[in-house]
Amino acid sequence: MAAYVARRLLLMIPTLFGIMTINFFIVQLAPGGPVEQMIARVTGTAVSATARAGGGGPGETAQGMAPGLRLSGEPSAYRGAQGLDPRFIAEIEKMFGFDKPLHERYVQMLWNYARFDFGNSFYRDTPVLGLVLEKLPVSISLGLWTTLLTYLISIPLGIAKAVRDGSRFDLWTSTVIVVGYAVPGFLFAVLLIILFAGGSFWEFFPLRGLTSENWEGLTATGRILDYLWHMVLPVTAMVIGGFATLTLLTKNSFLDEIGKLYVTTARAKGLSENQVLYGHVFRNAMLIVIAGFPAAFVSVLFTSALLIEVIFSLDGLGLLGFEAAVGRDYPVMFGTLYLFTLLGLVTNLIGDITYTLVDPRIDFDRRDQ
């Protein structure tokens, strides 16, 4: 097993290299980069998907940012730059590092990322790693609680549906599952706000944030309870919207194993149904469920939580990545992509190791020979 883990760790290097290379050149060739974004701000033509009333958003104009601007008849390579001083354009390019050739920027990025140096955000003047670490607790909280509760609900429910296949219980729970699968999680979030966060009915739970304003003054127990109180609605919305697939996967996996010959043999030996189900079927059926854990966790952590973070004003990695993509904040984009990819690769490796813990008969070293 140690040799297999070592090989997988070594394979992460070319995988990271390939992903970063592809995304670097795609993003560099895409229109509307940070230089164009700054020109649009200066000329007052910027429009942002995240701008809010009252200004302060990425789409605000930047009049007065560059004193000494003058009209110039010289053509520019950037759309919207007509009439701006070419020296000012050159200053913007230097500010964002675009005064260097493409290959130099690429090599510099690889060297910096190999040392986990992601630079500073273009617009926040803050180290990218610091931004990620600041937002990480929110996304980790959502991801871990959602994944944990989803598995705690879906696995017992899937087993119960497999044992009672075709019964009324199976029929009614399938109806609930179809509804949970069909309705997006953010709609459940809106419904929960209307019902329980002061929308139209009761006000049992807070509407925004991960903690209360008086969190610093609370005791240790009070802080834990306050944190859990704030997590109820967003986690509930994500669990309702995400448990359907895992439940059906568990049910189908158990049904497949229950129909195999070794189960018939175990019953013929006089074993009880619980002994057959949890002593023989469970270990084999859970392999496919465990295989989906890394993908489920990464999906919840970095994609599914975006709208939930926006609705409940949770400042996490999903919102950070979205704003970076809209604003073409390349250091944040590439830094989060690098960390997400690395975490995904490590999580997949953990999933493979978990295979051997569930079923010691699996030997990855022998399979690779």
Side-chain angles (χ1 to χ4, degrees):
M1 190 63 185
Y4 172 76
V5 172
R7 285 195 297 272
R8 287 288 299 272
L9 291 175
L10 290 175
L11 283 173
M12 290 181 186
I13 298 175
T15 303
L16 282 170
F17 173 80
I19 292 175
M20 297 305 299
T21 298
I22 293 172
N23 283 276
F24 175 83
F25 286 104
I26 289 177
V27 170
Q28 295 295 323
L29 296 175
V35 177
E36 289 89 340
Q37 295 273 333
M38 183 59 70
I39 291 174
R41 295 185 189 189
V42 171
T43 57
T45 59
V47 177
S48 172
T50 58
R52 294 178 174 84
E60 63 183 352
T61 62
Q63 301 293 348
M65 287 180 56
L69 286 180
R70 62 178 176 80
L71 296 179
S72 172
E74 300 181 28
S76 173
Y78 300 104
R79 294 177 59 184
Q82 287 78 8
L84 295 181
D85 190 338
R87 290 177 298 179
F88 175 66
I89 303 298
E91 290 178 3
I92 296 178
E93 290 180 332
K94 184 176 181 181
M95 179 175 64
F96 292 119
F98 281 81
D99 57 327
K100 300 177 182 178
L102 183 66
H103 68 278
E104 288 189 17
R105 300 202 305 269
Y106 170 68
V107 173
Q108 184 66 41
M109 182 198 72
L110 293 181
W111 170 243
N112 289 338
Y113 281 24
R115 298 178 291 124
F116 285 87
D117 179 10
F118 305 117
N120 291 346
S121 167
F122 281 162
Y123 306 118
R124 305 182 188 220
D125 195 26
T126 304
V128 172
L129 189 59
L131 278 175
V132 172
L133 293 178
E134 178 186 342
K135 315 297 183 184
L136 195 59
V138 176
S139 296
I140 288 290
S141 296
L142 288 174
L144 285 180
W145 284 116
T146 301
T147 305
L148 177 62
L149 292 176
T150 299
Y151 270 72
L152 289 177
I153 294 172
S154 297
I155 292 177
L157 181 58
I159 295 174
K161 286 175 64 63
V163 173
R164 299 171 178 83
D165 185 39
S167 65
R168 289 185 178 181
F169 172 82
D170 184 37
L171 176 62
W172 285 108
T173 53
S174 294
T175 303
V176 174
I177 288 173
V178 168
V179 173
Y181 182 78
V183 180
F186 71 89
L187 289 182
F188 284 118
V190 174
L191 177 61
L192 291 174
I193 289 174
I194 294 174
L195 293 177
F196 304 114
S200 298
F201 295 91
W202 304 282
E203 191 173 356
F204 294 147
F205 299 100
L207 177 59
R208 52 192 302 128
L210 192 63
T211 56
S212 300
E213 294 181 358
N214 63 335
W215 190 80
E216 292 292 341
L218 298 175
T219 62
T221 303
R223 291 182 180 184
I224 294 174
L225 293 176
D226 181 73
Y227 160 76
L228 294 176
W229 183 46
H230 281 77
M231 293 299 297
V232 169
L233 293 188
V235 170
T236 300
M238 294 179 69
V239 169
I240 293 176
F243 81 102
T245 302
L246 182 60
T247 301
L248 293 179
L249 177 65
T250 304
K251 175 191 174 181
N252 294 331
S253 177
F254 271 80
L255 283 177
D256 183 58
E257 292 295 326
I258 289 174
K260 291 184 177 179
L261 183 60
Y262 75 89
V263 175
T264 304
T265 304
R267 287 171 175 165
K269 290 181 178 179
L271 297 179
S272 66
E273 282 299 314
N274 284 338
Q275 289 176 318
V276 172
L277 186 63
Y278 297 104
H280 294 76
V281 175
F282 184 82
R283 183 177 63 182
N284 296 325
M286 285 301 295
L287 289 176
I288 190 172
V289 178
I290 292 174
F293 175 80
F297 176 73
V298 173
S299 175
V300 169
L301 193 59
F302 301 126
T303 58
S304 301
L306 172 58
L307 291 176
I308 300 298
E309 290 180 7
V310 173
I311 291 172
F312 290 99
S313 299
L314 300 173
D315 195 9
L317 290 176
L319 187 59
L320 175 67
F322 172 73
E323 291 179 343
V326 171
R328 302 299 194 273
D329 196 345
Y330 288 167
V332 176
M333 288 175 61
F334 286 119
T336 52
L337 173 66
Y338 182 87
L339 293 173
F340 292 173
T341 304
L342 181 61
L343 181 59
L345 293 172
V346 172
T347 307
N348 278 305
L349 177 59
I350 294 174
D352 287 346
I353 295 174
T354 309
Y355 265 131
T356 62
L357 298 177
V358 176
D359 190 348
R361 295 173 299 176
I362 296 177
D363 189 343
F364 287 105
D365 289 325
R366 183 177 300 175
R367 187 192 68 176
D368 290 342
Q369 291 176 356

